[in-house]
Amino acid sequence: MAKKLPDNIDEIQTEVIETDLLIVGGGNAGCFSAIEGKKINPDLKVTIMEKAHISRSGATAAGMDAINTYIPEGKTPEDLVRWSRSQVGGGPIREDLALSNAKELNQAVDDLEAWGLPIVKNEDGTFKYRGAWDISIHGEQLKPIMAEKAIEVGAEVYNRVVATSLLMDGERCVGAMGFGVKDGKFYVFRAKAVIISTGGACGLYKSYTSDATNSHHQTWMCPFNVGTGYAVGIRQEAEMTSMEQRWVATRTKDHCGPVDTISVGYKSAIINAKGDRILQKHYAHLGGDKAPRYIRANAPMEEWLAGRGPTFVDTTHLSPEEVKELKIDYLNERPTFVLFLASRGQDITKDPIEIYGSDPYIVGGHTQSGYWVDLERMTTIPGLFAAGETAGGSPNKFVGGCAAEGKLATRGAINYISSVSLPELDSKQVGQEKERVFAPLLRGPEFDGVSPLEMEERMQRLMDEYAGGTSQFYRTNEERLDYALKHLKMLQSQVIYLYAKDLHDLMNAHEVIDRLDVAEVLTHHLKFRKETRWQGWQTRSDYPEINPEFDCFVESRRNKETGEIEAFTRPYEQIVSGDRYKP
Amino acid sequence: MPPRIDIEKCDGCKAQEEPLCEQVCPGGLMSLGENMKAYCRQLRDCWDCMACVKICPVGAIETRVPYQLGYHVAKLIPMMGTDTVTWTCQDINGKVERFKYRNRNDAE
Ligand SMILES: Cc1cc2nc3c(=O)[nH]c(=O)nc-3n(C[C@H](O)[C@H](O)[C@H](O)COP(=O)(O)OP(=O)(O)OC[C@H]3O[C@@H](n4cnc5c(N)ncnc54)[C@H](O)[C@@H]3O)c2cc1C
Ligand code: SF4
Ligand code: SF4
């Protein structure tokens, strides 16, 4: 029920919490981080700061139907890295990170099974593979299972507390701040080390269904993950990597649900209006049905552009038993796809499933955009670690890899904790952040300003049309990127006009503020990479070819003094032998 | 795809401190109104994860497909057991399908 809103900043209570290890975002990676912390040292104080409620939050809120990576018998972590590298067109990827993740991966998945996750098995008891690396699960309860374990081991959980910034001691991160979206308090968490695991960024771009009544959030990625984890680091001059490598995927049309379930799990070919098998016909030289992920993601949209849409995954060969299994897969992961088919009265053995491109996301557990981290998963800010979608450099992590990385980040953080102590609380910094956070709520009823939704829609349309969104078939050029940057700056300068009617609205206000900071960095990265390396994920119509000079990482830092984003490169290092372009 | 609440069925979770649908919504969209019945504060912001539908003890919540995306009227109703879930789906032509499977094993 509506809580009485404060009239001034002094009415807002500040709560200060001290802990050893703070985890910001109790999702897939965050829960694993917490559990690992308690396992290594039961006396360690582990605290989770979570925007939603950890029982159903983030990407896995609806459940999952597969674990996309689990190393089968006879294959090695190096093989997984080779596959992952080939999926992003030979990289560059951070092979050091990818390899360490791969070595930890199977144990994390085995943990899930031990905690009660049903994994689909063959008759001989081995895991049932859907493709080369992915296993099928009945993961409707995946998130509650992880959350219950985190609580059971004794992690202290603050639900409904939205992180808005890092707490700093000079260059070092010593906690995080935020506000309670239900209780209206200001929270200061002081910690010896912080793991940021807030998931990816959805809603930077307009989704093509967003104009439909009640479908603003008909997105594939969880729309409540808005990129805050990246934004808080960007504002503290953290180095970000590969932010131009957006994740764009083929998704069910008008619903934006996963498609791998059908195309990989049920060997259904991607076809165009004429029934041509697109990948075999146009992309045979790149591997056909096994072409790199961005090619497969982009191919249906190229058909639409060429006048050969609509596009489908051809399910007309499926038996009734297979249709039933396929629907169960969706019920485990994105249940409303079954409802959607029912709302079209569609029999998928007669009418194939229509597909289309998604809006672009920043998700470092899929592509490799995010924080530049070292092997311990420490970012360039001492004391701040990243895991899951927030950590850049190693793509194709998904559920298992994000879980594995959660563990690795905790080990890194615990090593770090042994050499540090908590500095005194900087009350000036706390006061300033409190003022910034609550400003949109305290502007008074007469204030003539801008609502969070208005600003969000302006930003999403801008990004869609100028920074390579779905409506532009993901293409952009120098002039459009300059236009986007100019208007992003104007939007940032208008943040002072944002007003919030209540605490939920205040959360929405900070969501758009954070998205603007991520969008700006991403646009600078797109501008810096003057080539087209990953069509769809990153398409420059003015530089349509690969330029070997860009066989490196594009990095950036937002200069704290000038507010300018400085882009630079880092070299690629091949660690795992073999042809980079082959799995 | 927004939730639709049957206010006849909703009992406000019998005045629990935080009603279950409010607790589980990953976007914090569900709340109790003055009438002690649940409502979704921003229909357009729902991600149709169905967490609220699954947890409601009295089956008061249904997910509806917006008309711009799908036709009138399809239904998908989950029944949650302790370690199984049963879904019933009815399409716009009245065709009913049922799916039942295990969603939890005993922990080791
Ligand atoms: C629809 C869908 C289907 C998928 N299917 C598969 C699949 O079949 N197999 C597979 O392996 N992978 C799949 N994935 C990918 C996988 O789910 C993700 O890569 C992984 O779960 C991400 O983990 P994470 O911990 O980084 O993020 P999340 O699990 O999303 O966790 C982020 C957490 O941070 C919280 N948070 C966000 N902002 C704040 C803030 N400001 N303050 C505090 N907390 C905050 C969120 O509420 C959330 O709890 C799928 C993803 C989606 C969206
Ligand atoms: S969970 Fe169901 S009964 Fe409880 S408040 Fe929500 S709608 Fe009402
Ligand atoms: S379906 Fe999910 S996002 Fe929508 S109101 Fe229910 S819990 Fe919230």
Side-chain angles (χ1 to χ4, degrees):
Chain A
M1 262 174 301
K3 230 178 137 291
K4 192 199 160 290
L5 294 173
D7 296 319
N8 63 63
I9 196 91
D10 300 322
E11 281 177 28
I12 298 164
Q13 199 183 324
T14 299
E15 187 128 344
V16 182
I17 294 117
E18 265 184 38
T19 186
D20 293 319
L21 176 62
L22 175 68
I23 295 159
V24 184
N28 179 355
C31 285
F32 268 83
S33 287
I35 297 160
E36 182 72 2
K38 281 293 189 184
K39 185 175 156 205
I40 295 174
N41 176 5
D43 296 329
L44 188 79
K45 194 167 171 205
V46 177
T47 306
I48 297 177
M49 179 187 195
E50 167 58 50
K51 171 184 191 171
H53 188 290
I54 63 165
S55 71
R56 288 277 184 189
S57 61
T60 64
M64 287 287 142
D65 73 338
I67 296 213
N68 287 351
T69 48
Y70 186 85
I71 302 171
E73 224 167 295
K75 292 215 171 112
T76 63
E78 283 77 7
D79 292 333
L80 182 62
V81 176
R82 286 186 190 100
W83 168 80
S84 178
R85 185 171 64 192
S86 73
Q87 289 298 298
V88 287
I93 68 167
R94 283 282 302 280
E95 299 186 10
D96 55 340
L97 300 177
L99 195 57
S100 68
N101 244 322
K103 288 180 177 159
E104 200 60 42
L105 171 68
N106 282 21
Q107 184 56 51
V109 179
D110 295 344
D111 291 348
L112 281 169
E113 191 187 25
W115 305 338
L117 177 75
I119 300 184
V120 181
K121 304 232 167 104
N122 298 310
E123 268 169 25
D124 63 359
T126 53
F127 290 164
K128 187 173 166 201
Y129 274 84
R130 174 171 98 164
W133 298 97
D134 42 345
I135 55 173
S136 295
I137 62 173
H138 281 179
E140 185 279 316
Q141 292 278 313
L142 175 64
K143 190 70 223 285
I145 287 172
M146 293 191 279
E148 283 164 25
K149 195 70 192 174
I151 293 165
E152 184 191 309
V153 299
E156 177 186 50
V157 184
Y158 286 80
N159 289 311
R160 305 275 172 225
V161 179
V162 184
T164 57
S165 74
L166 302 174
L167 181 66
M168 301 297 289
D169 177 41
E171 301 292 290
R172 182 184 147 204
C173 176
V174 291
M177 297 180 271
F179 70 98
V181 67
K182 296 280 172 186
D183 66 16
K185 290 184 199 167
F186 184 63
Y187 283 87
V188 181
F189 291 90
R190 308 176 59 204
K192 292 185 186 139
V194 178
I195 296 177
I196 192 104
S197 47
T198 50
C202 175
L204 303 173
Y205 287 82
K206 180 167 169 251
S207 97
Y208 64 88
T209 51
S210 72
D211 61 337
T213 323
N214 297 339
S215 338
H216 187 63
H217 281 164
Q218 204 62 47
T219 53
W220 167 77
M221 194 8 98
C222 173
F224 314 119
N225 286 352
V226 302
T228 303
Y230 309 119
V232 295
I234 289 168
R235 295 198 280 263
Q236 298 298 339
E237 224 172 286
E239 179 178 335
M240 308 306 284
T241 187
S242 311
M243 296 290 278
E244 73 283 12
Q245 202 188 63
R246 308 165 310 161
W247 172 253
V248 159
T250 303
R251 292 292 172 249
T252 52
K253 180 139 194 308
D254 295 349
H255 169 266
C256 215
V259 161
D260 277 4
T261 305
I262 324 165
S263 57
V264 181
Y266 295 86
K267 316 273 178 281
S268 303
I270 295 181
I271 56 172
N272 64 16
K274 303 289 172 218
D276 300 333
R277 297 181 69 144
I278 304 168
L279 289 165
Q280 286 170 342
K281 187 157 178 175
H282 301 298
Y283 301 92
H285 60 295
L286 295 170
D289 287 336
K290 292 205 160 65
R293 214 173 254 275
Y294 58 93
I295 298 284
R296 285 184 283 138
N298 194 42
M301 291 302 270
E302 294 295 312
E303 294 302 293
W304 276 82
L305 187 60
R308 295 190 295 262
T311 44
F312 306 91
V313 268
D314 189 2
T315 45
T316 54
H317 66 287
L318 295 183
S319 68
E321 293 73 34
E322 284 172 319
V323 171
K324 186 143 199 172
E325 265 184 59
L326 184 149
K327 288 189 178 175
I328 288 180
D329 285 340
Y330 274 102
L331 291 170
N332 274 306
E333 167 163 274
R334 197 66 207 279
T336 53
F337 186 58
V338 176
L339 179 64
F340 175 77
L341 290 175
S343 80
R344 296 280 177 102
Q346 188 173 342
D347 173 353
I348 61 170
T349 64
K350 297 203 175 77
D351 294 313
I353 293 172
E354 198 183 347
I355 54 175
Y356 204 67
S358 70
D359 42 317
Y361 312 104
I362 292 291
V363 275
H366 291 73
T367 53
Q368 57 187 28
S369 40
Y371 283 91
W372 180 267
V373 291
D374 65 16
L375 252 187
E376 304 268 273
R377 298 326 189 254
M378 187 151 90
T379 68
T380 55
I381 299 178
L384 180 69
F385 296 75
E389 308 278 13
T390 54
S394 86
N396 301 307
K397 285 183 282 205
F398 312 113
V399 166
C402 290
E405 196 163 52
K407 292 187 179 195
L408 292 169
T410 291
R411 289 177 210 158
I414 287 179
N415 283 340
Y416 174 83
I417 284 173
S418 61
S419 65
V420 295
S421 57
L422 269 187
E424 242 178 81
L425 184 61
D426 174 357
S427 49
K428 185 166 161 232
Q429 190 187 154
V430 170
Q432 280 172 346
E433 178 62 3
K434 187 173 174 183
E435 296 236 357
R436 185 188 78 92
V437 165
F438 286 97
L441 197 64
L442 299 173
R443 301 208 206 274
E446 304 302 318
F447 186 75
D448 179 8
V450 180
S451 74
L453 179 62
E454 287 175 310
M455 193 173 282
E456 183 187 316
E457 288 189 330
R458 170 69 193 135
M459 173 198 64
Q460 289 174 341
R461 197 164 78 87
L462 175 71
M463 293 299 287
D464 180 52
E465 291 171 356
Y466 294 89
T470 319
S471 75
Q472 304 303 311
F473 296 89
Y474 310 121
R475 287 155 164 76
T476 184
N477 61 20
E478 193 76 6
E479 293 73 22
R480 283 202 256 175
L481 291 168
D482 284 335
Y483 181 105
L485 287 172
K486 180 175 160 201
H487 285 265
L488 285 170
K489 273 267 178 277
M490 285 164 75
L491 282 165
Q492 283 168 331
S493 75
Q494 298 229 315
V495 157
I496 49 168
Y497 300 125
L498 277 175
Y499 67 86
K501 295 190 300 294
D502 56 26
L503 289 164
H504 187 91
D505 228 24
L506 184 64
M507 173 169 78
N508 291 158
H510 285 284
E511 288 175 345
V512 69
I513 292 171
D514 293 345
R515 280 174 168 137
L516 284 171
D517 285 347
V518 179
E520 188 189 19
V521 170
L522 134 68
T523 308
H524 271 283
H525 276 245
L526 284 170
K527 189 168 147 70
F528 193 93
R529 192 175 276 286
K530 294 189 184 357
E531 62 159 359
T532 297
R533 187 163 289 263
W534 308 286
Q535 270 176 45
W537 290 355
Q538 178 265 335
T539 308
R540 288 286 307 249
S541 37
D542 45 357
Y543 298 96
E545 307 292 333
I546 290 183
N547 176 352
E549 279 172 30
F550 281 103
D551 190 10
C552 55
F553 300 101
V554 173
E555 307 287 305
S556 70
R557 243 185 259 114
R558 189 167 100 176
N559 186 311
K560 259 198 204 174
E561 312 245 292
T562 63
E564 294 305 315
I565 286 152
E566 295 159 1
F568 54 101
T569 63
R570 287 223 194 212
Y572 161 67
E573 195 187 337
Q574 179 165 3
I575 296 173
V576 176
S577 65
D579 181 343
R580 284 170 60 189
Y581 304 94
K582 298 228 169 78
Chain B
M1 290 191 190
R4 194 181 144 100
I5 294 130
D6 182 339
I7 57 166
E8 294 296 315
K9 282 190 187 160
C10 168
D11 62 6
C13 279
K14 299 201 172 62
Q16 261 190 42
E17 201 187 326
E18 196 180 18
L20 291 168
C21 56
E22 177 170 348
Q23 211 176 92
V24 296
C25 176
L29 298 172
M30 300 298 289
S31 234
L32 279 196
E34 301 278 320
N35 59 355
M36 299 304 280
K37 304 282 182 184
Y39 75 97
C40 173
R41 48 169 298 136
Q42 207 56 272
L43 291 178
R44 68 200 298 286
D45 282 353
C46 168
W47 187 38
D48 54 88
C49 71
M50 294 187 72
C52 57
V53 181
K54 287 188 263 191
I55 206 150
C56 176
V58 296
I61 314 178
E62 189 192 322
T63 301
R64 271 295 166 92
V65 181
Y67 197 74
Q68 273 200 31
L69 306 183
Y71 301 106
H72 194 72
V73 57
K75 288 176 184 280
L76 179 64
I77 298 159
M79 284 278 292
M80 306 300 288
T82 44
D83 58 6
T84 53
V85 50
T86 310
W87 300 82
T88 307
C89 183
Q90 187 178 342
D91 80 1
I92 50 169
N93 303 313
K95 187 176 160 223
V96 175
E97 285 179 290
R98 221 165 247 121
F99 308 89
K100 181 175 179 179
Y101 57 88
R102 214 178 155 91
N103 58 355
R104 279 242 189 187
N105 290 333
D106 298 329
E108 268 167 25

